Amino acid sequence: MSFLEFHSLEKRYGPVAALSGVDLAVEAGSRTAIVGPSGCGKTTLLRLIAGFEAPDSGRIELDGEVLAQEGGSVPAHQRSIGLVAQDGALFPHLTIADNIGFGINRHEAGRDARITELAYIVGLDKAILKRRPHELSGGQQQRVALARAMAVKPRLMLLDEPFSALDTGLRVSMRKAVAELLEAAGIATILVTHDQAEALSFADQVAVMRDGKFSQVGTPRELYLRPKNRMVAEFLGDAIILPASLRDGFAQCTLGRIAVETREARDNARIMLRPEQLLLKRTAREGMSGTPDMLFGEVVELEFGGPTCMVAVRLLNSPDPPDAAAIANTPLILRKPGMDAPTVGEIVRISVSGKAHVFA
Amino acid sequence: MAHADDNTPLFRFPGSRLRGACRLMPSALPYAETVTPLTLVGSGTRRRLPLSWMTLAALFVSLFALLPLGFVITVAVQSGWETVLTLVFRPRVGELLTNTISLMVLTVPLSIALSVALAWLTERSDLPGARLWAWLSVAPLAVPAFVHSYAWITLVPGLHGLGAGVLVSVIAYFPFLYLPIAASLRRLDPALEDAAASLGHAPWRVFLRVVLPQLRLAICGGSLLVGLHLLAEYGLFVFIRFDTFTTAIVDQFQSTFNGPAANMLAGVLVTCCLVLLAIEVLVRGEERYARVGSGAARQLPPVRLGRATLPCLALMALVSVLALGVPFLTIGRWLVAGGAQVWRLDEIGLALGQTIFLAVAGGVLATVAAIPMAWLSIRAPGPLQRVLEGCNYIVGSLPGVVIALALVTITVRVAIPLYQTVFTIVTAYALMFLPRALISLRASIAQAPVELERAASNLGRRPLNALWVTTIRLSAPGAAAGMALVALGIMNELTATQMLAPNGTRTLALAFWAYSGEIDYAAAAPYALIMVLASMPLTWLLYVQSKRMAGR
């Protein structure tokens, strides 16, 4: 029995199915990210967990207590589930101190001390407490929203794209700070985001969502390296997907013979490589002759982007002639360090590191 | 004057936002100055000239608009301290003050409660036919306040005094509160309510602690508008025999012309207005209530009323019957009773013609007078412009009776040939409705950023031509809308028209007033009907505008 469980949750808005059968288990104190393109139903799922809406069918259980099932739903204010919304949703008519203390009874002893403590925990200066939300920067607003949600000692924390309104540098540091803070407090967390990098780096468990269903649930590493299908693979990062025939633990494809995890034999398989698995080594046109088992390509396009640059490589030869024509027209797009990048027209030797992933 | 005065507080929100946007302008100025010497040597001075003309014109209009205030002060000074004391501190003034304060203290809170309830039901609940009820909650504005009163008095002839005043005032004026409150409710960020719920607050506490405080701006603005109308209204209170400062001033004026007694009462009335403005500023505070975050707000699912649906529908129906059913039934009843003979077409045609003439003239004058001010507030905002604009709004909030009294006194003393001329009455209209024209114009000039004009010049248009094809073309619809608002306000104006119009003038409002004064309610009915029908577009415009304010 996990800390939080959903069983076949369904929710429809008129003719549109926002959720069609979602199951998930979240362990106590863990971090889960739900990631998917906009409109996939992830915000609806979050609203069901928070209790703003009731599911049409299915069950939500938190710590052994049924929060929602057919015919009944615990209202949001009785659930003790924290929420940090996309833009913080701070109350504009209240000071920061009153925002943080909103969930604490006004007559409770030690309320002020608790507010100060919370502000300290989320890294806010004490002087800020007297100000109003609009006088704060975006990052500060998010910290206040987090402190406000933590004030009521929630059993579960929901983060609804809380970092997407921040600029890049701040986003990374806030994400790290929030993850550490919630871990230290031992609060299980669910993050909803459309940013795959954020999901992969934040969570212990990632669920990729599409069309109201989870496509795959697993650890970030598992999802990135062993995606179930093309959609998951491409959603979590750039992917090179090739037709191949499998034999004896190797795949034969336009990039030659590549090791795979499986030993099964299959003719019409599809394999996936992450672009960072392809290594480029500079060579010259003369170096190509007399090495039939090696793979060469020509750099046809280069886009400099600072630390990394985008390199487009057109294959010059292929050990797998039938498909060569097809792949030769679509260059491989790789990201390489900006330092020492090849130039357009250069010939490179291509090799593959690690194993390819085979789609079932 | 049911719709007299301005709708300032209703629209204060976008106005102040526009002002913020204009701060971008100065950054563009240095660029223009460094560029001009290179291109056209003379154009630098030529470009600055219209601006200073504009400033002068705005200054002139604002000073002119301050005439009524100046009049009140001058009269007080000229009468001497002794006279002021004896005229102000007497039982009659105390009586009027008690009446006015009781009226305010009862009407405003009742209107707030009613409007919040109606706005919540139409905007936030799953009340069947919410859109229809929303429109019906605004529609009473189409009925001039004195027509409301006329309807009630012919239905319940014994109606009079404070209770009657409160009843009819709430019915006639609550839409001024309903409109901004409903717009604010629609614009509120539902994420805030979600956040409050997730922090453990039950729905009714969320409403009290999160929703209601955010309606403060709308409630303040609407209450001010209702309060100013209560101070300025004449016809409504005469029907039900309830004395306010305005009715007392008109009475005094009719018996002793512009004697010191009437002038002193006007002074007290102006003080009341200023106190009201000050209270509103204090209560409103400097807080910011806008959404803090970015992005589009999600729409909240409507609250299920369940078993409360029927009582809520009953409330809606009751309000609609009182605010719309009574006037329409009464007018209908008198029209039926009067039959064909009350439609004295020559007379009605004449009144309609005069009304349209005055309305159009006043609308044009108000709009023209508003141009310099509107231009300045968008293109060259600064401390001077803020002061001038503030003057215009204060004058716009003065009751028509004060403006009329001031113009009567001034024309009689200084320019007797202008007394009771079309010129004077149109000037009075322009002063009274200047804020209406100003708001529309300002919003529409803001739609035409100076960059467009520069772009047109860059593409080879001459300065005047550039101005014509960009700014003037773009702000024309706003100017027209402002003109329409002013014209419709003039159409239902009674007090100032009565005091200032040339002898023999018979507008719709005056004709209605004359007949109902003779208890010939049937003969008054066609005029009431025409005024209501003519006010429909204005009401529709306000309704649509409030929707647009909320981004829908």
Side-chain angles (χ1 to χ4, degrees):
Chain A
M1 183 77 198
S2 301
F3 181 64
L4 170 72
E5 286 185 11
F6 328 136
H7 300 284
S8 43
L9 280 184
E10 286 183 22
K11 178 78 184 170
R12 303 182 70 82
Y13 293 109
V16 187
L19 293 180
S20 37
V22 171
D23 298 86
L24 187 72
V26 171
E27 297 306 322
S30 71
R31 293 195 297 268
T32 300
I34 296 169
V35 63
S38 52
C40 72
K42 54 191 195 299
T43 300
T44 303
L45 181 58
L46 203 75
R47 293 178 64 76
L48 291 188
I49 305 172
F52 302 139
E53 280 166 59
D56 295 337
S57 69
R59 194 167 80 245
I60 304 175
E61 278 178 46
L62 179 66
D63 208 4
E65 180 197 350
V66 177
L67 291 185
Q69 63 184 352
E70 258 146 292
S73 170
V74 178
H77 65 278
Q78 287 164 8
R79 288 194 180 191
S80 184
I81 293 177
L83 169 75
V84 178
Q86 190 168 8
D87 46 23
L90 300 185
F91 303 119
H93 59 294
L94 298 177
T95 62
I96 298 307
D98 285 336
N99 261 287
I100 295 177
F102 193 85
I104 310 173
N105 194 319
R106 262 186 285 191
H107 307 295
E108 197 177 294
R111 182 174 180 266
D112 292 344
R114 177 119 178 85
I115 291 171
T116 318
E117 185 198 340
L118 283 161
Y120 175 77
I121 291 175
V122 298
L124 284 173
D125 192 80
K126 218 177 145 180
I128 249 174
L129 291 176
K130 288 198 187 70
R131 298 218 212 140
R132 300 263 169 181
H134 68 271
E135 297 172 281
L136 268 54
S137 69
Q140 285 172 324
Q141 288 187 18
Q142 289 298 8
R143 285 171 196 267
V144 175
L146 185 66
R148 181 178 70 180
M150 287 181 66
V152 291
K153 301 191 177 115
R155 296 185 283 179
L156 174 73
M157 184 69 84
L158 305 176
L159 306 177
D160 186 6
E161 308 212 16
F163 313 119
S164 61
L166 309 178
D167 52 48
T168 322
L170 192 59
R171 195 182 307 170
V172 174
S173 63
M174 266 300 279
R175 186 200 303 156
K176 204 160 164 342
V178 169
E180 282 166 7
L181 197 69
L182 290 169
E183 179 149 323
I187 301 172
T189 306
I190 294 179
L191 168 73
V192 155
T193 180
H194 63 265
D195 179 342
Q196 35 83 18
E198 190 166 283
L200 293 177
S201 61
F202 180 85
D204 312 318
Q205 175 179 246
V206 175
V208 177
M209 198 167 186
R210 186 173 193 182
D211 297 337
K213 274 187 205 142
F214 285 150
S215 303
Q216 194 176 358
V217 181
T219 65
R221 184 173 292 274
E222 192 181 312
L223 258 62
Y224 187 71
L225 296 178
R226 293 185 195 83
K228 244 186 206 163
N229 54 40
R230 187 180 186 127
M231 178 261 155
V232 174
E234 289 182 336
F235 189 75
L236 293 178
D238 295 333
I240 298 168
I241 292 165
L242 302 167
S245 59
L246 308 180
R247 197 109 35 243
D248 305 328
F250 284 94
Q252 188 69 34
C253 64
T254 45
L255 295 180
R257 226 162 86 92
I258 300 169
V260 292
E261 311 111 330
T262 164
R263 295 201 61 83
E264 72 168 308
R266 190 150 36 117
D267 274 341
N268 297 320
R270 296 183 86 78
I271 61 166
M272 180 211 76
L273 285 166
R274 291 296 179 188
E276 58 269 26
Q277 287 181 272
L278 296 191
L279 306 178
L280 302 183
K281 195 175 172 201
R282 287 174 159 149
T283 178
R285 219 166 262 276
E286 303 82 62
M288 282 172 64
S289 52
T291 49
D293 54 337
M294 282 184 188
L295 195 61
F296 293 94
E298 184 188 357
V299 177
V300 290
E301 213 182 313
L302 184 85
E303 200 178 285
F304 184 71
T308 62
C309 62
M310 197 273 289
V311 186
V313 178
R314 187 167 56 88
L315 287 184
L316 292 177
N317 67 334
S318 172
D320 189 17
D323 273 287
I327 194 159
N329 290 332
T330 42
L332 298 168
I333 310 288
L334 310 176
R335 252 168 243 288
K336 292 292 160 196
M339 291 291 283
D340 201 31
T343 51
V344 173
E346 253 187 294
I347 304 297
V348 288
R349 198 193 132 188
I350 303 164
S351 54
V352 176
S353 82
K355 291 179 175 177
H357 171 65
V358 181
F359 287 131
Chain B
M1 21 178 265
H3 307 279
D5 290 304
D6 57 315
N7 341 74
T8 317
L10 243 178
F11 298 95
R12 184 171 281 141
F13 227 105
S16 56
R17 219 187 270 157
L18 288 175
R19 226 170 288 149
C22 298
R23 298 220 176 87
L24 291 171
M25 298 297 178
S27 66
L29 275 175
Y31 166 77
E33 270 160 30
T34 49
V35 165
T36 35
L38 287 172
T39 49
L40 273 167
V41 181
S43 76
T45 47
R46 213 188 292 159
R47 249 188 100 56
R48 221 161 281 151
L49 208 59
L51 201 73
S52 63
W53 274 114
M54 281 292 186
T55 314
L56 279 180
L59 208 61
F60 172 75
V61 171
S62 303
L63 286 180
F64 197 78
L66 283 177
L67 271 183
L69 267 187
F71 151 79
V72 168
I73 295 167
T74 314
V75 163
V77 169
Q78 279 182 350
S79 315
W81 194 234
E82 292 293 312
T83 327
V84 172
L85 281 185
T86 47
L87 281 178
V88 171
F89 294 95
R90 58 189 170 120
R92 175 68 179 150
V93 176
E95 209 177 283
L96 291 175
L97 202 60
T98 317
N99 274 358
T100 304
I101 291 175
S102 343
L103 185 68
M104 293 263 181
V105 168
L106 290 173
T107 306
V108 173
L110 275 175
S111 306
I112 294 174
L114 181 65
S115 304
V116 171
L118 296 191
W120 188 85
L121 283 175
T122 52
E123 299 301 330
R124 277 305 176 67
S125 75
D126 65 346
L127 191 76
R131 284 185 66 91
L132 173 73
W133 294 119
W135 165 234
L136 288 179
S137 302
V138 181
L141 274 188
V143 183
F146 53 81
V147 175
H148 273 292
S149 203
Y150 149 88
W152 280 94
I153 202 74
T154 61
L155 196 71
V156 191
L159 209 63
H160 77 101
L162 180 64
V166 172
L167 172 77
V168 182
S169 303
V170 169
I171 283 168
Y173 295 129
F174 83 85
F176 282 130
L177 271 155
Y178 170 85
L179 268 174
I181 290 175
S184 298
L185 264 183
R186 245 175 280 138
R187 198 174 37 198
L188 275 194
D189 184 357
L192 295 178
E193 283 156 70
D194 285 352
S198 78
L199 292 169
H201 288 282
W204 65 271
R205 284 189 61 187
V206 174
F207 183 79
L208 284 184
R209 288 193 60 189
V210 175
V211 178
L212 211 51
Q214 304 212 68
L215 297 179
R216 190 156 99 177
L217 215 61
I219 291 176
C220 281
S223 302
L224 177 67
L225 209 56
V226 173
L228 290 174
H229 273 90
L230 291 178
L231 287 179
E233 180 54 40
Y234 168 70
L236 192 167
F237 299 115
V238 169
F239 270 119
I240 53 168
R241 285 170 287 137
F242 182 73
D243 287 347
T244 66
F245 282 109
T246 299
T247 60
I249 292 169
V250 177
D251 283 350
Q252 282 282 351
F253 177 80
Q254 280 165 349
S255 58
T256 64
F257 199 47
N258 62 334
N263 291 343
M264 279 307 110
L265 284 179
V268 179
L269 181 55
V270 168
T271 314
C272 287
C273 284
L274 297 181
V275 167
L276 215 56
L277 286 172
I279 290 176
E280 198 260 347
V281 169
L282 284 180
V283 177
R284 172 160 47 101
E286 280 300 311
E287 281 163 39
R288 193 188 134 123
Y289 290 91
R291 220 166 111 76
V292 177
S294 54
R298 126 194 315 273
Q299 229 179 320
L300 265 189
V303 174
R304 294 218 175 97
L305 290 174
R307 268 175 300 168
T309 306
L310 268 182
C312 292
L313 276 177
L315 173 73
M316 280 292 177
L318 178 71
V319 171
S320 299
V321 165
L322 292 183
L324 291 168
V326 170
F328 279 101
L329 271 179
T330 316
I331 294 175
R333 207 184 76 186
W334 286 117
L335 284 178
V336 171
Q341 65 191 26
V342 296
W343 293 94
R344 296 162 200 152
L345 285 183
D346 50 336
E347 208 182 286
I348 292 173
L350 193 67
L352 194 61
Q354 287 195 356
T355 308
I356 289 173
F357 169 74
L358 286 177
V360 170
V364 170
L365 184 63
T367 306
V368 169
I371 287 175
M373 202 59 246
W375 176 280
L376 224 55
S377 68
I378 296 299
R379 290 292 163 87
L384 174 73
Q385 161 266 327
R386 270 195 288 278
V387 169
L388 294 184
E389 215 176 323
C391 292
N392 286 327
Y393 284 125
I394 289 180
V395 173
S397 68
L398 291 185
V401 67
V402 174
I403 292 173
L405 205 54
L407 288 183
V408 166
T409 313
I410 291 165
T411 48
V412 165
R413 289 194 192 169
V414 184
I416 192 74
L418 289 179
Y419 175 61
Q420 287 204 334
T421 56
V422 172
F423 173 81
T424 314
I425 181 69
V426 170
T427 307
Y429 289 150
L431 286 182
M432 288 167 67
F433 299 114
L434 194 60
R436 286 189 186 196
L438 195 53
I439 287 161
S440 303
L441 254 186
R442 197 173 59 182
S444 58
I445 291 183
Q447 303 258 308
V450 71
E451 283 76 12
L452 291 183
E453 214 177 294
R454 295 211 180 113
S457 314
N458 252 334
L459 294 170
R461 301 294 185 108
R462 290 161 182 278
L464 262 184
N465 187 247
L467 190 72
W468 176 256
V469 297
T470 57
T471 308
I472 291 176
R473 288 287 285 274
L474 280 168
S475 53
M483 226 179 273
L485 280 175
V486 175
L488 284 159
I490 293 170
M491 195 153 207
N492 298 329
E493 215 286 336
L494 178 61
T495 334
T497 315
Q498 216 176 10
M499 292 165 71
L500 284 175
N503 273 330
T505 306
R506 205 167 166 88
T507 64
L508 292 172
L510 283 183
F512 168 83
W513 192 244
Y515 279 124
S516 52
E518 297 158 10
I519 326 282
D520 191 352
Y521 292 133
Y527 296 96
L529 184 69
I530 295 173
M531 280 188 285
V532 170
L533 291 182
S535 300
M536 283 289 179
L538 166 80
T539 314
W540 183 251
L541 194 69
L542 282 175
Y543 177 74
V544 171
Q545 225 159 20
S546 81
K547 289 259 174 200
R548 203 177 304 144
M549 243 171 81
R552 303 262 164 82

